[in-house]
Amino acid sequence: SSNVWTADMLTKVMAYFHAQEVMFTLSSLQMSIKSYLKNLLYQPRQLLSEFQQLDQQQFQTAMKYLFNSRKDRLEMGNISLDWDKTRERIFQSPGVNRTLFLVTLDKCFLALSVLDCVDILSQVLRVSAVNYLQPDVIGSLPNVLQEDAFRNLSTVFKDLYDKTSAKTQRALYGWMKQILKKSCNMSEFNESTSWVSAENLWILGRYMVHLPLEEIMKISLNEIRLFISYDNATKQLDTVYGITPELAQAFLERINSSGFDMRNTSTIYRQDSFSFSFMAVLGLLVCFYDDMEQMDAAVARALLHQMIKCNQLRGFQAEVQKLKSQLLNIAMQNQTLNDILGSLSDAVVGLTSSQLESLSPDAVHNAIATLNQVSGWAKSQVMILSSKYLSYEKVLSFYTVSQMGALVTGISTQSFYSMNPKDLSQIIQGTTPQYLSALSPAQQQGILRKIAASGDFSSSVKDIQGAFFKEISLSDLWKQTGYNSSMMKEKELRRSQALCLYELLSKKYYPVDLLSTGQLVKGVTCQLIESMGTDFFLNTFKFFEKNLHLLSPYQVNCLAWKFWKVSNASIPPFLLSVLPIEYLEYVSGPLCVPFIESLGKTEMDLLNPSLHKKNAVLQKVQECLNGSIADEYDVDLLGNLICHLPPAFLRGRMSLKAMATALHQFKLCQQLSHEQKTEIKYKLLELYGSPNNWTAETTLDVGPFIALMSKGELNVLAEKFPDIILQIAKTIGPISSAEELLSTVFESISNASANIESSLSRPDCLGTRAPSSDEIIKLAEANVFWSVQELKCMDAGTFDKNVELLGTVSGFNSSQLIALKEKAKQVWGSLPDWKSYHIVSLGRIALALTEHEIEELDLHSIDTISVLSQQTEWTLTQARSILQGFLEDSGQTISTLKSFDLVGLGAILCALNSTEIMSIRTAEFSAAVARIGLLFCSTPVLRQFKKMAESVFSTATSWNGSILQEIGTIAGGLNEDELKALDKNLMPYFQPIAIRRIPPEIFQTLSPEQIANLGPENAAMVTRLQREHLNASQLQSLQLALDGARTSTPETQTSASTTQAVETPAPSAPCLSGLGIWLCAVFSLHLPF
């Protein structure tokens, strides 16, 4: 054949077809090729089979075109294909990527240069290494490779380490070991020495954590010494996040024995064979360094400096903290804490509040360069250190704040509010975003209120970036001018802000300018979408598709109807799931794969908030899959959809082959039901057998699903792999979801702690085990299993050190909380003596305070209240006490409260009476209204807030969509007449949380038209009680809203029954029903590159 497609060549092709009595025109030939390529995308198994039938030359050409071609169009004589676009689609299809991966493994190393194949593998693997690199596939990797190719491929695997399962990591280690052992000159190695040379250790990289203990102990000391001297050894040892204490100590022992050469180090100090400069080389191994004998304070400080990276380890944090604590004690020998504060690195996080309280402001100031970089501070620690630092600095300026780093969150709201507005504007522009976003809503409000009051707000608005912008109130936005579309690109917007700003900016800018900003798509109304011209809509749809996660289900529904109206033949398949259920009938045959694929890449709840609708879509998905998940290709196709499949389908219709691939996907699911988890458990038992026989890797891969196992099975796993079980339990969440697992962890740790600590100062504690710091840190949520008596017997120092952690345990009952509260009194003294940082550190323990105890506390600071208000379980009387305490101690009345006070009070505001609410100043309420609209207060309170909202936004009957969005739950306080008077087009702009706050007897006054216009998300929020109050006509309207039925005027209505058929991929010509002929045609002619 010729090397180039020519018109003459095409004539010959046409003549061939005509001779076969197949009539073809040039355009039908072009359509057929396009259709063929499209079909390939949707039939990855077929594609695999076709690829496997290509000869070597054809395969080479195919790979060159896919991976090396610089061409953006494929010219075949008069036929031109958009190759760039085709290739982009190929790489976006998970199934096709799997095929390319498998075919590369199967054929590439025989057909192309090894280095080219390694390059192709790395490109394909970066798409989804977890799913493709299963342990059984590792067996297909070539076991003989030239050195360069092996190094390149092992580098790819090292880069993908975190993206692969534990079993795959172990299998890849086995593959690397096999090749490395072959490459060794085994005459130099015998039974007593290891194949692990310095170079092999470097090649293994992170896979070195899979070396057995006995292999490490056999590594030649010369090779260890050589490895440590490599420039990049430290970089490698910094990434061994999965190392265990046993392995780390084995490596340390070999390194120690190797007598590391220190002649070139500037530090002469020597302890055994360790020196300061040497510690820097150890990477994460330092986290397990345990030779404390005769260590001097300078070495301890050097070690602590290196241990700042230990928080990256997978687990073993309790051991690390214990080691830091021991080093801290050594580092402080013959020194005061004030003298050495700056040289303790992040071990300062282990200091108790009383130790921090003893520091001088001068010491904190001198150590600020260290303190501002430390992460992991507790809120109470930050409060103490910030106040020390600021008491040294005296004046709070931009410079002062810029020096504080992570400690900036400890600056009080009042201090921010008393700053110079220009300094505050600089803070907003110049502070690291992560620190700004860590400020509480009250602190952010304090900063914004001061800038807004300064008259310089307009110039500052454009500089407020990210999530901070969301705190600006609607009324403040209205007052400003000078907005432009480009300044919106760096900001996060609330929906109310987006609605307001889109309307404002649309007077000056083209829609494309606004839609391309991203966040402003939140402000596009259905009326706007409906008024778009056909071409304009089709051209700008990409902006909506790219920002789907920012849209509401109502907006997605409007987009679907618009697309159906203007171009139902090319509607993206996932939008069919948003339309009423009968539109799913259009999904069949060739549309099935694109339908499932697009749904799998989207968040199901965004498309279908209603359960009934979701079930109908899932039924269609099951039909499209021919009633089963046969293999890994189906798992690839399903994507996120796998999280929503019904339990019965998982039980009976999912093959074990598919399950092995699906496990990773299941672990990413946010809200699996108990029934789904149960079916997954049975599949796992079928796949891996009894947990009694599981390996460490299987246990790690099963991960959170071990919580479903029986108590007996958990006991076996906890005995075999205590560290892994502990690691998994830390990620598991509240006790309700994993009681058996957490109790197993508790028993395992209790049994491991043989020494019974008992407080001799209390006779009633004799023989009672007291919780230790080490146990409390390890247990996390499992601390819930301590008895009241054991908590009472806790040592004062242990309580002081761990109070914040204990305050986060969500499962403690009231008796346990009372015991911990009494312990706090015992440790910190009487209630009036408690400082703000004490109160803040209590977390849930504060719920045990009685009204009288709350009255005794010093509650003058809104920052203290802001932390207390985050607890959701206060009784009304407790909340009243907190409110009264704040007003009395801060010397305020309701009428003097600022907006940041209102924001800080949070849920405590629900305890206000009607007179108090009406005495809030309008301007302050206006600035805080969006935050108040997030509260779940009682109906009488919401009604009073609604009256306040009217004083800001005028009467309720005049409100628009952005106001309804802004006020949130306050809209639940509207009365019958106000609700009835609202335009039906405003119904989707209620926040979903507001719908549930409308009392059923008022909700029933909505007209059928209003209910039909609620939109899918709001309709899904209607409660059972609200539904029971509706008549037949209203219920019918509610069903329309849930279904996503069109509610606009009849002339724009397009009936499902009168539409043209949805486009399906064009059929191939009769002789081309097999795909193979075109694969050969496209790739057998070696096209020039």
Side-chain angles (χ1 to χ4, degrees), residues 61-200:
T61 309
M63 286 304 179
K64 279 181 182 174
Y65 257 86
L66 284 166
F67 293 99
N68 294 330
S69 171
R70 298 285 172 265
K71 283 178 162 298
D72 55 357
R73 302 198 74 74
L74 205 55
E75 308 289 342
M76 303 183 189
N78 300 342
I79 294 180
S80 174
L81 291 175
D82 186 341
W83 184 238
D84 231 17
K85 208 168 184 180
T86 305
R87 202 164 40 190
E88 189 186 328
R89 282 297 316 278
I90 285 169
F91 290 127
Q92 281 175 354
S93 162
V96 174
N97 264 304
R98 181 180 289 281
T99 285
L100 291 175
F101 171 67
L102 293 173
V103 88
T104 304
L105 276 185
D106 186 32
K107 293 179 79 82
C108 190
F109 289 97
L110 303 170
L112 297 182
S113 87
V114 176
L115 287 170
D116 279 347
C117 291
V118 169
D119 182 48
I120 289 167
L121 271 180
S122 72
Q123 286 187 59
V124 178
L125 279 172
R126 286 179 206 286
V127 178
S128 181
V130 180
N131 283 347
Y132 305 157
L133 272 181
Q134 292 294 330
D136 56 330
V137 172
I138 310 299
S140 312
L141 291 172
N143 51 19
V144 177
L145 275 178
Q146 62 196 61
E147 192 177 345
D148 279 359
F150 172 67
R151 284 178 178 240
N152 289 359
L153 192 50
S154 58
T155 300
V156 171
F157 292 145
K158 283 190 276 190
D159 290 346
L160 294 171
Y161 191 91
D162 286 323
K163 292 185 176 176
T164 50
S165 67
K167 279 191 161 186
T168 298
Q169 289 164 4
R170 169 66 73 182
L172 283 168
Y173 160 75
W175 172 79
M176 290 165 83
K177 170 185 163 185
Q178 181 189 5
I179 292 182
L180 290 171
K181 279 183 96 166
K182 278 183 188 168
S183 65
C184 284
N185 181 352
M186 286 317 281
S187 62
E188 295 174 22
F189 297 93
N190 54 42
E191 281 304 306
S192 61
T193 56
S194 171
W195 57 272
V196 184
S197 62
E199 193 175 9
N200 289 353

Side-chain angles (χ1 to χ4, degrees), residues 171-367:
L172 283 168
Y173 160 75
W175 172 79
M176 290 165 83
K177 170 185 163 185
Q178 181 189 5
I179 292 182
L180 290 171
K181 279 183 96 166
K182 278 183 188 168
S183 65
C184 284
N185 181 352
M186 286 317 281
S187 62
E188 295 174 22
F189 297 93
N190 54 42
E191 281 304 306
S192 61
T193 56
S194 171
W195 57 272
V196 184
S197 62
E199 193 175 9
N200 289 353
L201 206 49
W202 179 75
I203 290 170
L204 281 172
R206 292 180 63 180
Y207 291 89
M208 66 187 275
V209 302
H210 296 280
L211 285 163
L213 210 52
E214 55 276 15
E215 195 69 66
I216 295 167
M217 297 314 288
K218 279 163 49 179
I219 299 174
S220 142
L221 296 180
N222 287 340
E223 297 295 334
I224 282 283
R225 199 178 304 114
L226 183 57
F227 173 69
I228 286 296
S229 68
Y230 286 170
D231 287 345
N232 48 16
T234 310
K235 193 175 171 189
Q236 177 168 320
L237 290 172
D238 275 346
T239 62
V240 288
Y241 311 120
I243 199 153
T244 63
E246 296 74 30
L247 291 183
Q249 276 152 11
F251 275 117
L252 286 170
E253 194 177 318
R254 291 312 276 164
I255 293 166
N256 199 0
S257 304
S258 74
F260 186 75
D261 178 14
M262 297 192 330
R263 283 167 298 184
N264 297 330
T265 61
S266 54
T267 312
I268 303 305
Y269 179 87
R270 184 181 176 109
Q271 166 153 350
D272 299 329
S273 61
F274 282 93
S275 71
F276 292 92
S277 55
F278 178 60
M279 284 168 194
V281 182
L282 294 177
L284 292 174
L285 299 182
V286 295
C287 307
F288 304 101
Y289 180 76
D290 63 349
D291 186 4
M292 303 287 173
E293 278 184 44
Q294 299 173 334
M295 183 184 287
D296 101 346
V299 176
R301 289 200 291 278
L303 261 173
L304 284 172
H305 182 66
Q306 291 303 320
M307 288 183 76
I308 199 158
K309 56 190 114 170
C310 295
N311 59 0
Q312 295 174 293
L313 284 170
R314 306 261 192 276
F316 307 110
Q317 288 307 315
E319 287 82 350
V320 169
Q321 288 190 40
K322 195 173 182 179
L323 177 56
K324 282 184 182 176
S325 180
Q326 291 169 330
L327 290 169
L328 199 56
N329 292 336
I330 297 170
M332 287 164 60
Q333 281 170 2
N334 307 321
Q335 302 264 0
T336 68
L337 196 49
N338 281 328
D339 294 336
I340 61 160
L341 184 64
S343 60
L344 297 178
S345 191
D346 72 340
V348 287
V349 169
L351 296 170
T352 64
S353 51
S354 44
Q355 284 174 305
L356 293 176
E357 191 61 276
S358 71
L359 290 167
S360 70
D362 200 32
V364 174
H365 176 263
N366 294 336

Side-chain angles (χ1 to χ4, degrees), residues 709-962:
M709 302 302 160
S710 70
K711 191 76 168 77
E713 291 164 335
L714 285 169
N715 287 339
V716 171
L717 290 173
E719 200 171 320
K720 280 165 71 176
F721 313 117
D723 296 326
I724 293 173
I725 298 301
L726 194 58
Q727 192 179 324
I728 294 169
K730 287 261 186 187
T731 63
I732 217 88
I735 184 163
S736 55
S737 60
E739 187 165 354
E740 295 279 342
L741 173 61
L742 293 176
S743 77
T744 304
V745 165
F746 182 80
E747 288 158 19
S748 166
I749 287 172
S750 302
N751 296 340
S753 312
N755 58 324
I756 293 179
E757 293 185 31
S758 60
S759 170
L760 298 176
S761 59
R762 291 189 53 171
D764 58 334
C765 284
L766 283 171
T768 301
R769 247 183 81 240
S772 68
S773 271
D774 198 35
E775 289 170 319
I776 290 169
I777 293 164
K778 283 181 178 175
L779 288 169
E781 190 63 29
N783 278 297
V784 76
F785 291 101
W786 293 112
S787 70
V788 170
Q789 183 61 22
E790 285 167 333
L791 292 173
K792 282 179 179 173
C793 294
M794 192 190 308
D795 174 73
T798 304
F799 176 82
D800 203 20
K801 201 170 182 179
N802 298 289
V803 59
E804 304 240 2
L805 199 159
L806 292 167
T808 63
V809 177
S810 64
F812 278 141
N813 61 35
S814 56
S815 308
Q816 290 169 309
L817 293 175
I818 289 167
L820 290 167
K821 175 194 71 176
E822 293 303 325
K823 178 60 66 178
K825 288 183 186 175
Q826 185 191 325
V827 177
W828 298 332
S830 64
L831 294 166
D833 296 335
W834 286 11
K835 302 277 197 302
S836 286
Y837 65 79
H838 286 134
I839 302 167
V840 159
S841 66
L842 286 171
R844 278 192 77 241
I845 301 169
L847 294 168
L849 293 163
T850 64
E851 299 88 84
H852 300 304
E853 286 170 330
I854 292 169
E855 285 165 20
E856 290 185 64
L857 296 172
D858 174 4
L859 297 177
H860 75 280
S861 161
I862 191 57
D863 301 290
T864 308
I865 304 298
S866 178
V867 173
L868 290 175
S869 71
Q870 288 166 20
Q871 297 301 331
T872 55
E873 301 161 76
W874 296 112
T875 65
L876 191 59
T877 46
Q878 282 176 311
R880 275 305 294 182
S881 290
I882 293 170
L883 177 68
Q884 290 306 133
F886 170 62
L887 292 173
E888 285 167 22
D889 296 344
S890 64
Q892 297 202 73
T893 62
I894 301 287
S895 61
T896 63
L897 294 178
K898 298 269 195 303
S899 62
F900 53 80
D901 293 319
L902 297 173
V903 168
L905 280 162
I908 305 297
L909 290 173
C910 294
L912 290 170
N913 63 40
S914 55
T915 314
E916 288 167 333
I917 291 173
M918 296 319 287
S919 62
I920 297 172
R921 279 182 294 178
T922 306
E924 305 304 326
F925 182 84
S926 164
V929 70
R931 281 277 166 192
I932 296 170
L934 297 173
L935 304 176
F936 298 115
C937 300
S938 66
T939 303
V941 171
L942 292 178
R943 283 188 180 143
Q944 293 305 315
F945 281 146
K946 187 265 303 179
K947 287 181 186 169
M948 285 300 299
E950 287 186 304
S951 65
V952 176
F953 300 117
S954 182
T955 55
T957 48
S958 67
W959 290 350
N960 61 20
S962 58

Side-chain angles (χ1 to χ4, degrees), residues 38 213 414 420 595 604 612 633 654 772 833 896 1026 1064:
K38 199 169 179 182
L213 210 52
Q414 193 58 54
N420 179 313
F595 175 71
M604 184 73 157
H612 172 63
Y633 278 108
M654 187 172 193
S772 68
D833 296 335
T896 63
Q1026 286 171 328
T1064 59

